[in-house]
Amino acid sequence: MNERGISTRVFGVGMPAAHLISAVRRSGPAGVVLHAQLPVSDSSVLAELRRLRPAPRLIVGGPGWEEIDVPPFVHRAATLAEAVDEAVRSVHL
């Protein structure tokens, strides 16, 4: 994304939801991409992120999200390229 002039932040595996929410609140991004390799057991972080103002565009991807019903305000990306395109779109909205 840097080659497109869009700055990014990458957080490590296993970041607690409360820390993620706090980081997003402080940085105020236009979009947030959440990738999960392992199955997601609690998707409540999506609703918490949606409550932030301004609310970032939420994009999920990876096999860990396959069994989760995500709310309609979340975009499910089938590929990494699609996730990047959606993230870029969120900056230009």
Side-chain angles (χ1 to χ4, degrees), residues 57-86:
R57 179 156 169 74
L58 300 175
I59 304 149
V60 298
W65 291 99
E66 289 175 358
E67 301 298 319
I68 296 289
D69 289 329
V70 296
F73 57 82
V74 176
H75 178 84
R76 186 186 303 267
T79 65
L80 177 58
E82 183 182 347
V84 170
D85 288 344
E86 286 299 318

Side-chain angles (χ1 to χ4, degrees), residues 8-85:
T8 60
R9 291 182 187 217
V10 177
F11 299 108
V13 174
M15 183 176 200
H19 293 162
L20 173 65
I21 293 163
S22 179
V24 171
R25 180 181 296 114
R26 284 191 313 273
S27 60
V32 174
V33 177
L34 298 173
H35 176 84
Q37 269 312 109
L38 300 175
V40 173
S41 60
D42 180 9
S43 63
S44 63
V45 70
L46 299 173
E48 292 295 322
L49 289 170
R50 176 68 172 191
R51 288 188 191 103
L52 298 177
R53 294 293 175 248
R57 179 156 169 74
L58 300 175
I59 304 149
V60 298
W65 291 99
E66 289 175 358
E67 301 298 319
I68 296 289
D69 289 329
V70 296
F73 57 82
V74 176
H75 178 84
R76 186 186 303 267
T79 65
L80 177 58
E82 183 182 347
V84 170
D85 288 344

